[in-house]
Amino acid sequence: DDAGYTDSNGDGIREYKGKKIKLRLMARTQSPESQSEGKLIAGWFKDCGLDITYSVIEDGALSDALYNYNKAGAYAPDYDIYLWSYAGYADPGDTLASFTTAQIEWWNDPCWSNAEYDRLNEEQFSQVDKAARLDTIHRMQQIFYDQSPQIPMTYPDTLEIANTDKWDGWVPFLSGLSFLNAFNIDSYVNLKPKAAAEATSGSSSTTWIILGVVAALVFIVVIFVLVRRGKGRAVEE
């Protein structure tokens, strides 16, 4: 009510500029989690007085809606609200750059545009001083947070498994996503075989050599015995 979205006729649906607020909320067939979230969110929005049409669609159909074009060939995205999952880049500047005006019709799905944000993005990419660049990035984050073109709903945990017995230098990606992520080069750069692993590998090789020698000796002894027996039988005959 304070923001101006009122229900003037008391039918339970709020209006914006004289029109009822009717929105489509889409979840993904490929994501059971988004479907559960979508049901909850649709209910909460309705409690707030919004007319929500909830549906579950395939990723391909959702992509078609995101990158829709009209008959004249102009970009005309055909959606209101959708649920998707994203993973940020290792460098925060790359993640923030996804929401510049230049990225509309590409990574900027909300089609959000802010001139100050765009200017700061160009600035942070050319800054060499780490502290100054971090300050610029924080200002960009604050603008994005204040205007909220895209809203984080959940922060899922991801299971990681790594062989720490034989390798040193594993670096988790953003505290929870996979080590060998295409955007995370740290593990590739830092990963090295453990000295203990090399020693274990060396002792293992030695063990196999010893076993091979023993097997060869046993084989020779067996052959010798068989030959002696053969000769013995021949003499007896």
Side-chain angles (χ1 to χ4, degrees):
D1 289 339
D2 292 341
Y5 303 98
T6 59
D7 177 13
S8 60
N9 58 9
D11 65 353
I13 307 298
R14 297 181 183 273
E15 298 100 23
Y16 176 67
K17 293 183 178 180
K19 294 183 179 180
K20 294 181 180 181
I21 302 177
K22 296 183 178 182
L23 300 170
R24 298 164 294 167
L25 171 63
M26 297 181 286
R28 302 164 52 214
T29 302
Q30 286 85 341
S31 173
E33 296 86 352
S34 77
Q35 297 170 35
S36 298
E37 293 167 359
K39 292 176 183 178
L40 292 170
I41 294 168
W44 295 333
F45 279 166
K46 288 180 179 178
D47 291 342
C48 290
L50 308 181
D51 186 355
I52 299 295
T53 299
Y54 172 65
S55 62
V56 178
I57 65 175
E58 296 281 344
D59 280 5
L62 182 51
S63 293
D64 288 343
L66 296 180
Y67 301 103
N68 183 63
Y69 295 83
N70 60 27
K71 293 181 179 180
Y75 179 52
D78 184 21
Y79 74 91
D80 297 322
I81 315 169
Y82 69 92
L83 295 167
W84 200 279
S85 59
Y86 287 91
Y89 294 86
D91 187 298
D94 291 329
T95 303
L96 293 167
S98 298
F99 298 97
T100 58
T101 303
Q103 288 296 319
I104 293 176
E105 198 177 349
W106 189 236
W107 289 113
N108 188 352
D109 291 347
C111 301
W112 176 69
S113 180
N114 181 284
E116 177 67 6
Y117 185 93
D118 291 347
R119 185 189 67 77
L120 291 171
N121 179 66
E122 293 297 325
E123 184 176 312
Q124 64 92 11
F125 269 126
S126 62
Q127 287 178 303
V128 179
D129 183 88
K130 290 183 178 180
R133 182 171 186 251
L134 184 61
D135 179 66
T136 303
I137 285 173
H138 284 166
R139 283 187 285 159
M140 292 177 67
Q141 289 177 327
Q142 189 63 51
I143 294 172
F144 195 85
Y145 177 81
D146 291 339
Q147 297 203 4
S148 299
Q150 189 158 286
I151 304 172
M153 300 302 300
T154 56
Y155 295 90
D157 292 326
T158 302
L159 180 65
E160 292 183 302
I161 301 175
N163 188 340
T164 57
D165 290 337
K166 296 184 178 181
W167 298 93
D168 265 331
W170 296 105
V171 181
F173 179 62
L174 299 183
S175 302
L177 294 179
S178 58
F179 286 102
L180 299 182
N181 188 288
F183 303 129
N184 178 26
I185 65 171
D186 292 333
S187 284
Y188 295 104
V189 171
N190 296 315
L191 206 58
K192 295 179 178 63
K194 275 189 175 179
E198 293 176 349
T200 301
S201 176
S203 63
S204 177
S205 300
T206 303
T207 301
W208 280 108
I209 292 172
I210 294 172
L211 289 175
V213 171
V214 171
L217 290 173
V218 171
F219 178 76
I220 292 171
V221 170
V222 170
I223 295 298
F224 177 77
V225 171
L226 290 176
V227 170
R228 281 181 60 88
R229 285 180 178 176
K231 288 182 178 179
R233 285 195 296 272
V235 171
E236 290 174 358
E237 292 174 354

